[in-house]
Every structure is written in structure tokens, then in C-alpha cells.
Amino acid sequence: MPELPEVETVARGLATQLVGRRIQSALLRRDGLRYPFPTGFAEGLVSREVKRITRRAKYILVALEGEKTWITHLGMSGKLLYYQGKIESVDKHEHVRLTLDNGAILAYIDPRRFGAMDLANTADLQAHRWLSRLGPEPLEVGADAVWPGISASSTPIKQRIMDAEVVVGVGNIYASEALFRAGIHPLSPSSSLTEKQWSILFSAIQDVLKEAIISGGSTLRDYVRSSGDVGYFQHRFRVYGRDSKACGQCSTPIAKLTQAGRSSFYCPSCQPKIS
DNA sequence: AGGTGCGCCTGGAGGC
DNA sequence: TGCCTCCAGGCGCACC
């Protein structure tokens, strides 16, 4: 389940594998993923050289020659796998396959098809419908840049830090982990945090994301890097998926609650409820 | 207008 | 063993 660290890891891997390569062919095995592929998608990729690969929020941006950018979101189970040499059998969930000018293959595999792809003009990228409303990157700004969005809403803080219009890249796992580190209950109204508390929480978000990137992300079920390697940060989870297990700080059993349809994990003792 | 909840998908886990 | 239900969750959208 790719969040910022997983997408960053995939983008970095792809950059070493693809930059300077030319796409020779593009095979689409279906009409689209979460959304239909754009008209002329395959033709727009073919024969272009990959110039650079970056990440914005959870989107992978592949800048191609000819001022086009291939945008990919991995959704929840999407994988971009780079292969040197032949693949004997094709995964039944492989939906897109590119061949490169060095004979390598880049395959997009996504069992749930929550992923998405588009091809946009690089010059118009900021105005793209997927990107135009995104908030700041958590590793590129300070807490003060996000503070207005935190103080202005009474929505529970966990939902607030997962809102991509407030700050991008924080999904369910890292939201729970950061709140634990900051000692803040996930149901606390966003506007109830003091600026000092927000500063502590924002630092925790940054720390968790940075540590996860160093670990190559978290592999639960589906996530792997473009090389096929797994990530290791899941071994460092302090609350996520640890309900009823002892808190590492105080031994109180980790609790689980459903918030906006998603599981939140927290320590009732280290993250006291706001009264 | 801000906040909530559902639907999109499949596979794995757990209950009976 | 097999069938059923639940859960995973990023994101857009319908709805209150």
C-alpha cells in the first residue's frame, strides 16, 4: 500500500533504470485502470526518451522528450517492475508493458486496478486535475506552512494529516505511526492542537517518512520496489497492525478504532484522549 | 461549504 | 476442504 516513502523508493529505482532509455513499444492489455487510458496513450509513449523521473505526492512523474510527462499512481496494489531479459509467464494482473531500447521490460502489475495513468503536457503539469489541488510536500516545507490548514478545521487530526489538500503523502500507516510518536490521540480535533503540538507532530511525520525511505518503504502484501526487492520499515511499526499487543513504551495494549472507514492504531496511555 | 461515507477492485485471512 | 464474510486503502464523488 504505497504511501510517500514507497512511491519515492519506486521513483528513485526507476530513475536509475530508465533515465536515458528510449521506449520502443508500449502494450496496453486493457482499456484503462481506475480511469480509461487517455486517447493516444501508447503512441504518446513510444519512441520517446526518458529525461527524468520525480515524485509529487503519491504520483510518479516520468518526464519524456517532446515535453510530455507520463503520470502514474500505483493506487493500492500497483507495481512497476523492471526486468532485464525475458519473462517466461505473464502475470495475470499485468496491464501495461513497455519495452526499452536496451531490451529491458517495464511491466505495470496491479491486481486491484486502483492505479491510474495519464499523459500530460509537461508545461501544463501544475494544472493537471490530479496535481493542481495538492498541498505541500512534507519533506520540503516547515510546520508553519501547513499550520493554517491544521488550525482551521475541527476534523480529527488523523484525517486532517491524511488530506492531500493539507499535506501530501501521508497515508494510513504513517499517520498512525506519526501520531504515536507525537503522543497525540488520532481523534483529537485538528483545531485543538497548539502550534507547539503541531510542530512536534509535523516533525514526527517527517521523521517517520524519512526513516521509511531509508528502509526502502514498508512491504505488507503487494508493495515491492521496481527491482522486485521488498522494503523493511514494516518491522519498525510501533502501533500499525499491532492492536492488542503491548505498547513498546508503556506495555499498555495497543488499541484500534475505525475512523472515516479506516483503521487507526494508537496507545491509549501514550496518546491520551483529549477531554 | 465542510464533513462523512461509499464504491471501485482482488486476494488473503479467518470462521464455521 | 470449501464457502462465506470481512478487510486492506487512495481517491473521487454523492450526499447530508
Side-chain angles (χ1 to χ4, degrees), chain A residues 166-179:
Chain A
V166 175
V167 61
V168 303
V170 184
N172 201 41
I173 293 173
Y174 300 110
S176 280
E177 291 297 312
L179 284 163

Side-chain angles (χ1 to χ4, degrees), chain A residues 183-247:
Chain A
I184 294 172
H185 194 286
L187 289 175
S188 309
S190 183
S191 52
S192 75
L193 271 67
T194 63
E195 193 163 4
K196 176 70 181 165
Q197 286 175 310
W198 167 243
S199 159
I200 291 168
L201 176 56
F202 188 74
S203 293
I205 290 170
Q206 292 182 318
D207 290 347
V208 166
L209 295 176
K210 283 185 209 163
E211 289 171 31
I213 290 169
I214 291 169
S215 299
S218 302
T219 296
L220 295 185
R221 285 202 186 90
D222 301 302
Y223 166 76
V224 292
R225 315 195 218 187
S226 60
S227 59
D229 296 325
V230 299
Y232 294 98
F233 193 73
Q234 67 277 10
H235 303 301
R236 310 263 293 278
F237 292 166
R238 299 184 194 170
V239 287
Y240 184 84
R242 300 193 72 250
D243 48 310
S244 80
K245 292 184 178 146
C247 170

Side-chain angles (χ1 to χ4, degrees), chain A residues 26-31 37-38 41-42 45 95-98:
Chain A
L27 172 63
L28 309 180
R29 299 186 189 279
R30 53 188 308 119
D31 295 337
F37 293 129
F41 182 45
L45 296 172
H95 309 306
V96 176
R97 170 177 295 217
L98 306 186

Side-chain angles (χ1 to χ4, degrees), chain A residues 256-268:
Chain A
K256 176 181 178 178
L257 62 84
T258 299
Q259 208 176 348
R262 287 172 209 163
S263 296
S264 294
F265 301 90
Y266 66 102
C267 172

Side-chain angles (χ1 to χ4, degrees), chain A residues 9 46 74 86 88 105 108 110 129 150 170 194 201 216 218 223 231 237 242 259 271 274:
Chain A
T9 302
V46 168
L74 300 175
K86 289 184 180 164
E88 289 77 24
I105 286 165
Y108 181 78
D110 188 356
R129 64 192 180 286
I150 296 301
V170 184
T194 63
L201 176 56
S218 302
Y223 166 76
F237 292 166
R242 300 193 72 250
Q259 208 176 348
Q271 296 166 262
I274 308 282

